[in-house]
């Protein structure tokens, strides 16, 4: 009886994971292409704002090697923003492969959610707590008032300040003091737990990891990177991810 119950549990668990993985494969296939350092599916940013952001982000990458990308997506397709941001980060492979020094600022206007997703190599500098402060004080209040350009620009400025200047300098900014209240993000705990379980199994089980890679890359064309997702699309100018990855560091917020 014990053996039979164990076998049944394993079978049921496998079926649940397979359903999640097939859902993830379909979900990932709808990611926007990485056409530049600013990807605005919703069209909330005017051309001058995009140009200014692109200049700042390009300057950051040239001087430090850090690849910061802004994405404004049409929809999260029913996903919690945390797994969506992590999967999009990995799909685009932001940051250098050897340093994992990428950052994604993701805004989802339909769901009124925002997230800063941080690459492995920058988690010690752009911490979860600092990411939350930036969202709470610099980004969310402006997004709430409809000022998408201002909120994103201030968020980018604060992220760049943390990553490139001494703490004695950026700590002087008002946005790094917890002087405004922010609503917490309602969490989709089932989706988050399932995502964590799948990632854990990918880490501890190489056969399972390769099975996931095959599922996620099926039908996309092109090769797959070490993170288990397809290589990001390049723009006409040759911009694209550089092989980096993220483990879910960062913070989320709403407005």
């Amino acid at each position: 009886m014990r053996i039979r119950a164990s076998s049944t549990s394993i079978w049921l668990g496998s079926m649940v994971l397979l359903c999640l993985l097939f859902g993830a494969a379909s979900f990932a296939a709808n990611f926007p292409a990485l056409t530049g350092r600013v990807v605005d599916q919703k069209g909330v940013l005017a051309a001058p704002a995009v140009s200014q952001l692109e200049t700042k982000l390009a300057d950051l990458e040239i001087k430090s090697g850090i690849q910061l990308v802004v994405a404004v997506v049409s929809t999260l397709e029913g996903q919690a923003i945390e797994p969506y941001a992590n999967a999009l980060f990995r799909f685009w492979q932001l940051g250098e492969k050897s340093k994992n020094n990428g950052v994604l600022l993701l805004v989802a206007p339909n769901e009124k959610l925002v997230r800063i997703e941080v690459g492995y190599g920058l988690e010690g500098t752009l911490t979860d707590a600092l990411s939350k402060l930036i969202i709470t004080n610099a980004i969310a209040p402006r997004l709430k008032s409809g000022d998408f350009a201002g909120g994103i620009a201030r968020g980018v400025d604060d992220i760049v300040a943390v990553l490139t200047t001494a703490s004695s300098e950026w700590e002087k900014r008002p946005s790094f003091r917890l002087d405004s209240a922010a609503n917490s993000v309602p969490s989709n705990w089932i989706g988050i737990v399932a995502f964590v379980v799948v990632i854990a199994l990918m880490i501890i089980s190489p056969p399972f990891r390769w099975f996931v890679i095959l599922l996620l890359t099926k039908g996309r064309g092109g090769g797959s990177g070490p993170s288990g997702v397809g290589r990001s699309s390049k723009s006409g100018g040759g911009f694209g991810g550089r092989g980096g990855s993220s483990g879910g560091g960062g913070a989320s917020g709403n407005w």
Side-chain angles (χ1 to χ4, degrees):
M1 293 292 292
R2 188 173 299 174
I3 295 176
R4 181 178 301 174
S6 177
S7 299
T8 301
S9 299
I10 293 173
W11 182 84
L12 288 174
S14 299
M15 292 301 100
V16 171
L17 286 173
L18 283 173
C19 289
L20 289 170
L21 289 172
F22 278 114
S26 174
F27 155 60
N30 294 320
F31 283 152
L34 182 58
T35 53
R37 293 179 174 85
V38 179
V39 177
D40 181 12
Q41 279 191 313
K42 287 287 289 183
V44 300
L45 300 173
V50 172
S51 178
Q52 290 173 8
L53 286 170
E54 290 271 6
T55 299
K56 290 180 182 178
L57 301 178
D59 186 59
L60 172 68
E61 187 168 350
I62 291 170
K63 291 181 178 179
S64 68
I66 296 171
Q67 191 171 51
L68 170 56
V69 169
V70 173
V72 183
V73 296
S74 298
T75 174
L76 297 176
E77 301 187 7
Q79 301 290 318
I81 195 169
E82 292 83 4
Y84 185 101
N86 183 259
L88 180 61
F89 189 112
R90 288 168 171 262
F91 180 57
W92 282 350
Q93 299 183 14
L94 301 182
E96 298 172 78
K97 181 178 179 180
S98 61
K99 297 181 179 179
N100 290 310
N101 54 349
V103 180
L104 172 65
L105 173 54
L106 175 66
V107 179
N110 280 7
E111 293 83 359
K112 297 186 182 300
L113 294 171
V114 57
R115 179 165 178 80
I116 298 173
E117 183 77 13
V118 183
Y120 286 115
L122 297 177
E123 288 181 355
T125 304
L126 184 58
T127 63
D128 296 359
L130 285 173
S131 297
K132 185 65 176 179
L133 277 178
I134 293 171
I135 290 173
T136 299
N137 290 336
I139 302 176
R142 291 170 175 80
L143 297 183
K144 186 174 182 178
S145 68
D147 183 10
F148 284 90
I152 291 171
R154 282 294 301 274
V156 166
D157 287 346
D158 282 357
I159 292 170
V160 171
V162 169
L163 294 173
T164 61
T165 62
S167 60
S168 59
E169 292 297 320
W170 56 254
E171 283 176 349
K172 298 175 183 176
R173 292 173 178 248
S175 53
F176 287 102
R177 296 194 297 269
L178 191 56
D179 53 9
S180 61
N183 297 322
S184 59
V185 181
S187 299
N188 183 342
W189 287 108
I190 295 177
I192 294 173
V193 170
F195 178 76
V196 170
V197 169
V198 171
I199 294 299
L201 286 173
M202 289 176 64
I203 293 173
I204 65 178
S205 174
F208 184 81
R209 179 165 60 248
W210 285 111
F211 175 66
V212 174
I213 291 172
L214 289 174
L215 282 178
L216 295 180
T217 57
K218 183 179 179 181
R220 285 191 197 161
S224 63
S227 62
V229 292
R231 294 200 179 276
S232 55
S233 300
K234 309 287 185 178
S235 66
F239 179 76
R242 300 164 67 185
S245 188
S246 167
S252 306
N254 64 350
W255 71 89

